[in-house]
Amino acid sequence: MRKQIVHLGLTLFVVGLVAAVGLGLTYTATSKRIAEQDRLSEAKAAVDALPGVKSPSDLVAEPALARKARKAVPEVRKVYTTGRGTIITVESKGYGGPMLTAVGIDRDGKVAGAASISNKETIGLGSKALEPEFLKQFNGKDARSGIEAGRDIQAVTGATITSKAVVKQVRAALKAYSRIQ
């Protein structure tokens, strides 16, 4: 009996070890590719957030501005500048988990556009609050606009939490913009 328990324990250990090594090798092999895809998704969303920006190469990452903005608005992740304005990436929690959104702000301090970088919202429901049709409602809004879901922004039916999270992100981006100007 004791011999059988030791045999089963060793078998379980070997299977666990093989699985752990396999997962480790898979992570090592794919981590750079995943990081590159994340960077490309962020760059595409940043370009989409500010009309007139043609390519990610037009963007200048501003880590010092991001640090300054983060002191006032902890949700800020990155700040990019371009001749057309500023793009601020903001993270918040939606219904399904973390959401990262790029908010483009023109030189006049008004929202020029917004685009989702990543999210875990329910497809076909919460994700509707991250589609261009919903995000266009923010265009032209500024820090003095007092943006509220249900009053200034028509929330997506059935996706109130996600809609409010996007409103919070845009307000955060506008507040951060006012602090770095």
Side-chain angles (χ1 to χ4, degrees):
M1 178 74 161
R2 183 176 172 104
K3 188 176 179 182
Q4 185 179 16
I5 291 173
V6 170
H7 178 64
L8 288 174
L10 285 174
T11 302
L12 182 60
F13 174 75
V14 170
V15 168
L17 182 64
V18 169
V21 168
L23 286 172
L25 291 173
T26 301
Y27 174 78
T28 302
T30 61
S31 63
K32 288 180 183 174
R33 191 175 306 159
I34 290 169
E36 179 64 15
Q37 287 300 317
D38 289 346
R39 191 189 65 70
L40 290 172
S41 293
E42 184 170 338
K44 182 187 178 317
V47 167
D48 290 347
L50 195 59
V53 176
K54 304 281 187 242
S55 155
S57 63
D58 296 342
L59 304 173
V60 177
E62 302 281 2
L65 287 179
R67 283 190 298 276
K68 184 177 179 182
R70 210 173 294 121
K71 286 181 182 175
V73 184
E75 298 86 2
V76 170
R77 293 295 163 255
K78 293 184 182 175
V79 175
Y80 300 97
T81 58
T82 178
R84 299 198 176 269
T86 303
I87 299 159
I88 300 174
T89 63
V90 183
E91 184 174 24
S92 71
K93 186 177 182 318
Y95 179 77
M99 297 177 6
L100 187 60
T101 302
V103 180
I105 302 170
D106 65 21
R107 289 191 218 152
D108 297 326
K110 295 182 178 181
V111 176
S116 175
I117 298 170
S118 65
N119 69 81
K120 298 189 183 307
E121 300 307 292
T122 306
I123 295 173
L125 191 58
S127 65
K128 288 185 178 185
L130 303 167
E131 293 177 359
E133 296 77 34
F134 176 78
L135 296 173
K136 285 178 186 174
Q137 296 181 78
F138 296 98
N139 293 357
K141 306 284 187 196
D142 62 20
R144 296 179 307 271
S145 296
I147 305 167
E148 287 294 326
R151 187 185 72 203
D152 309 297
I153 302 298
Q154 182 63 47
V156 174
T157 303
T160 307
I161 294 171
T162 306
S163 299
K164 287 181 178 181
V166 175
V167 168
K168 180 180 176 186
Q169 288 177 316
V170 173
R171 280 197 316 247
L174 287 167
K175 181 178 179 183
Y177 178 81
S178 69
R179 298 295 162 94
I180 60 176
Q181 290 307 300

